[in-house]
Amino acid sequence: MAKRVAVYCFAAITGIALGLASAIYMAGLWPGTKPLDFGDVEVDGWRSDFAIGSEAANPYTRARVARHGLLALAKTEAVYFTRDTDDRGEPLREDCTYRLSVGKMPADWWSVTLYDADSMLPMNDDEALSVNLGQDNVARIGDETVGYGLSAVVSPERPDGRDLWISSRGAPTFDLMLRLYVPSEDLLERPEAVLTPPTIERMSCDGEAA
């Protein structure tokens, strides 16, 4: 009898522990989890969860949004894609320099912002954590029209010349978030067919050619 009770107690404790651990993980409270890790949309390494901001979002999705401080607009207003690897599949790191290339997006306007491993803006004063384009999808530097889309350098130090810059200083590892505001209906219905996501080319690491 005592042995049976012990078995029941062990099973109950194990079940509670596993249930609690899975709830913490699904809610995005487990260390290292990202707000869109559980998304159901993925295009060339960029992941999204179109349930974010929806009234139909489950409690786990709502918990992840609250935990990571994501501005959760409805998908008709904005959708979010994140990526934490370069085009080679390697993690994005502060000691590397990358070339971010973005073409015309299926949305009224969009932005790309860098976040550290804790889903926070890096603690630096470079004032260069994001790039964005307006409704016409035309990139400009000053008064000069560059063309559709844009190219930007992602690195811990400001690049030479007139390159747009996203600073990774203070973020040993990081991810990039693509926000698409007022996305097209086609994007919401067929994201894999409509979206050509940004490329992230690794140019060098630790001063050596990549």
Side-chain angles (χ1 to χ4, degrees), residues 64-145:
R64 290 195 297 272
V65 168
R67 163 66 177 82
H68 294 280
L70 184 65
L71 178 59
L73 298 174
K75 67 179 182 180
T76 54
E77 299 177 42
V79 291
Y80 314 85
F81 287 83
T82 63
R83 185 170 180 180
D84 59 5
T85 60
D86 60 25
D87 290 345
R88 301 181 180 185
E90 299 292 331
L92 299 175
R93 303 169 6 217
E94 179 186 9
D95 60 353
C96 294
T97 296
Y98 304 92
R99 171 72 64 180
L100 173 75
S101 299
V102 193
K104 189 171 183 178
M105 293 286 107
D108 277 4
W109 66 283
W110 56 265
S111 66
V112 176
T113 305
L114 186 147
Y115 293 93
D116 65 19
D118 295 321
S119 300
M120 304 292 287
L121 295 173
M123 297 294 290
N124 69 50
D125 56 1
D126 294 329
E127 298 183 354
L129 296 176
S130 181
V131 293
N132 64 83
L133 255 77
Q135 186 172 8
D136 57 6
N137 274 276
V138 173
R140 296 182 177 88
I141 298 178
D143 294 329
E144 180 182 347
T145 297

